[in-house]
Amino acid sequence: MKLGVLISGRGSNLEALLKAHAAGKLPAADFAIVVANDPQARGLDIARAHGIKTAAIAHRGFPGGRQAHDAAVARTLKEHGVEAVVLAGYMRIIGRAMLEAFPHRIVNIHPSLLPSFPGLHAQEQALAGGVRVSGCTVHFVDEGVDSGPIIVQKTVPVLDDDDAESLSARILVQEHLAIVEAVDLLSRGVLRIENRRVRRME
Ligand code: GRF
């Protein structure tokens, strides 16, 4: 399955995917292009180092605003034959053009156990909420924020002396496993959405 990956920054989840692919762990995945909404995103260098095509489509100052930017991203992905999209630290809300271009074919990774703590600063939210367990979620993207059907979740303990940095680092280790697991399932075409639940048909 031809995949497009959208990033905004560091790109460690992207790197986890590309390393897994190089190691033969994502046999059905074909990474067609990596798109960043920030031309300075470090993840673009990671993509280039792996020989993957890249595009930077800056949202800042994009003519026509948010929806036009979203449509331009969708168009670029389609031009590269992309069939499904992975949001790997993409800090933009997905608009109608993307959802219509890739219905039930966009997945996102989020650093909390959804539906708890959606949106920004999920790790800070978890600390403020006093939970003893947190983790990460890979889910299908719908019109809400971090609200679509859940594919994979991984848990980590929240320790007494955790701050946002230490908790984020512990969660990130699990993110790199979760995103590979979810993209493997997605690319092998074994996921089915039934109401709010994702089933694995294998
Ligand atoms: C990750 O924590 C991801 O869950 C969140 O943004 C971060 C991106 O990290 N949405 P990276 O760019 O993959 O290193």
Side-chain angles (χ1 to χ4, degrees), residues 43-178:
L44 288 173
D45 295 329
I46 294 171
R48 290 187 200 108
H50 281 81
I52 311 289
K53 229 175 255 172
T54 62
I57 307 176
H59 69 278
R60 221 162 266 152
F62 195 87
R66 180 179 288 279
Q67 296 302 334
H69 177 264
D70 185 78
V73 172
R75 211 160 42 241
T76 300
L77 294 169
K78 285 283 181 190
E79 278 164 13
H80 287 81
V82 166
E83 298 164 280
V85 182
V86 183
L87 310 183
Y90 187 63
M91 305 306 284
R92 307 285 299 164
I93 291 171
I94 292 300
R96 190 140 33 85
M98 279 291 295
L99 290 170
E100 282 173 6
F102 302 100
H104 305 302
R105 286 290 183 106
I106 307 175
V107 301
N108 177 48
I109 182 143
H110 182 77
S112 77
L113 294 176
L114 292 171
S116 289
F117 316 129
L120 293 175
H121 310 302
Q123 300 91 338
E124 284 89 337
Q125 291 186 57
L127 291 171
V131 295
R132 307 305 313 195
V133 177
S134 190
C136 63
T137 304
V138 184
H139 62 94
F140 282 106
V141 173
D142 63 12
E143 42 294 310
V145 174
D146 300 324
S147 60
I150 290 168
I151 304 168
V152 172
Q153 291 187 304
K154 304 259 179 220
T155 59
V156 304
V158 179
L159 305 181
D160 288 346
D161 56 358
D162 264 336
D163 57 16
E165 197 181 326
S166 61
L167 179 59
S168 298
R170 192 174 310 116
I171 292 173
L172 193 63
V173 173
Q174 298 304 314
E175 288 187 43
H176 296 164
L177 301 174

